[in-house]
Amino acid sequence: MSSCVVIFSGGLDSTTVLYWALNRFSDVYAITFTYGQRHGIEVEMAAKIARNAGVKEHKIFDVDLSGIGGSALTDKSIDVPETHTVDEIKERGIPVTYVPFRNGIFISIAAAYAETRDCTDVAGGWNAVDYSGYPDCRPEFLKSMEEALNRGTRVGAEGKKWRIHAPLIKLTKGEIIRLGLSLGADYSYSISCYRGSEVPCGRCDSCVLRAKGWEEVGEEDHLIRRLKKEGKMTE
């Protein structure tokens, strides 16, 4: 029996990876973090997605990073910046929406959880193409974390090999969506907006990148379609 733990925010990328894992592993565990993020509605929606997808177990883990601060996602006194184009995102440096070492923290906890499930595969929606420039989304960072797990865990000491899977790392947002659709992914409840509303603001990095992806695919975003059907958005 092969198994995998998916770090699952409930956003578009991690939803794609969840379905990727479900198509490759017999048992899929999802772990979602409540870390003091202003867009906490994603946790509620993640539970719906995980349940509908049929994961073996969905764990919601509380690790409040708001006490550390330093990010517009965990400190409401810092405004989420507005973005108009993808080029604008790529031209600037690391944005204020970067949460210090978030992926390092999440991978560490996900690996501890995986170890209790006799699992050495961890997957996440990290991307180094259409992303906001976060340093903890880069291939070299993930490789270093994989090496740390192999050196610093019981299962690693016993000779088992950890594998950190990043199937989206070199894909554009449009390619990510196409992959998910080919795997049967439903994005109706995936939330990406940094401002914390179920209805996308359309102005943060995440909303701009997501809209670009669906435009590349040539389909209406499943989330937008659902919100229109429920009367939460107009045309």
Side-chain angles (χ1 to χ4, degrees):
M1 294 286 286
S2 61
S3 59
C4 181
V5 169
V6 175
I7 299 174
F8 182 53
S9 71
L12 186 145
D13 293 346
S14 68
T15 296
T16 303
V17 172
L18 186 72
Y19 278 85
W20 174 88
L22 286 166
N23 277 268
R24 282 162 177 77
F25 296 89
S26 54
D27 290 334
V28 174
Y29 302 87
I31 183 168
T32 301
F33 294 94
T34 57
Y35 60 95
Q37 66 267 49
R38 68 167 72 210
H39 50 307
I41 190 173
E42 68 177 3
V43 177
E44 174 189 340
M45 297 301 180
K48 290 185 179 182
I49 298 169
R51 183 170 59 250
N52 291 341
V55 302
K56 184 175 181 67
E57 182 176 84
H58 180 214
K59 186 172 185 64
I60 298 176
F61 195 92
D62 184 17
V63 52
D64 190 357
L65 301 181
S66 63
I68 296 173
S71 170
L73 299 190
T74 57
D75 184 345
K76 292 184 179 179
S77 70
I78 303 174
D79 291 334
V80 174
E82 291 197 1
T83 299
H84 302 287
T85 66
V86 173
D87 288 339
E88 184 181 329
I89 296 171
K90 294 181 178 180
E91 287 170 2
R92 65 171 182 241
I94 299 171
V96 295
T97 50
Y98 164 70
V99 180
F101 203 57
R102 176 179 60 180
N103 285 328
I105 295 167
F106 287 179
I107 290 170
S108 299
I109 295 171
Y113 171 53
E115 198 167 18
T116 68
R117 299 298 186 271
D118 195 28
C119 170
T120 53
D121 288 87
V122 175
W126 309 289
N127 179 262
V129 179
D130 282 342
Y131 78 127
S132 293
Y134 301 149
D136 56 354
C137 286
R138 296 170 181 168
E140 56 268 32
F141 168 76
L142 298 173
K143 188 67 177 176
S144 295
M145 289 298 296
E146 186 178 76
E147 180 64 20
L149 296 180
N150 281 319
R151 290 180 177 271
T153 60
R154 174 181 56 80
V155 294
E158 292 173 348
K160 295 181 181 178
K161 291 295 184 182
W162 285 92
R163 291 175 294 271
I164 295 180
H165 301 276
L168 314 184
I169 197 74
K170 295 181 179 180
L171 303 184
T172 67
K173 195 66 74 176
E175 289 169 339
I176 290 169
I177 295 169
R178 287 192 188 96
L179 173 62
L181 294 176
S182 73
L183 298 171
D186 179 5
Y187 296 108
S188 299
Y189 292 95
S190 67
I191 302 294
S192 300
C193 183
Y194 285 155
R195 288 193 164 85
S197 171
E198 184 179 6
V199 177
C201 75
R203 303 186 307 278
C204 68
D205 286 9
S206 191
C207 281
V208 169
L209 289 168
R210 179 170 177 147
K212 171 182 176 287
W214 283 102
E215 184 179 353
E216 289 176 3
V217 171
E219 291 189 26
E220 185 174 40
D221 188 332
H222 292 177
L223 171 64
I224 302 299
R225 185 187 303 161
R226 175 180 67 81
L227 292 172
K228 287 179 180 178
K229 184 177 180 180
E230 294 176 356
K232 297 177 180 178
M233 280 187 72
T234 56
E235 294 292 337

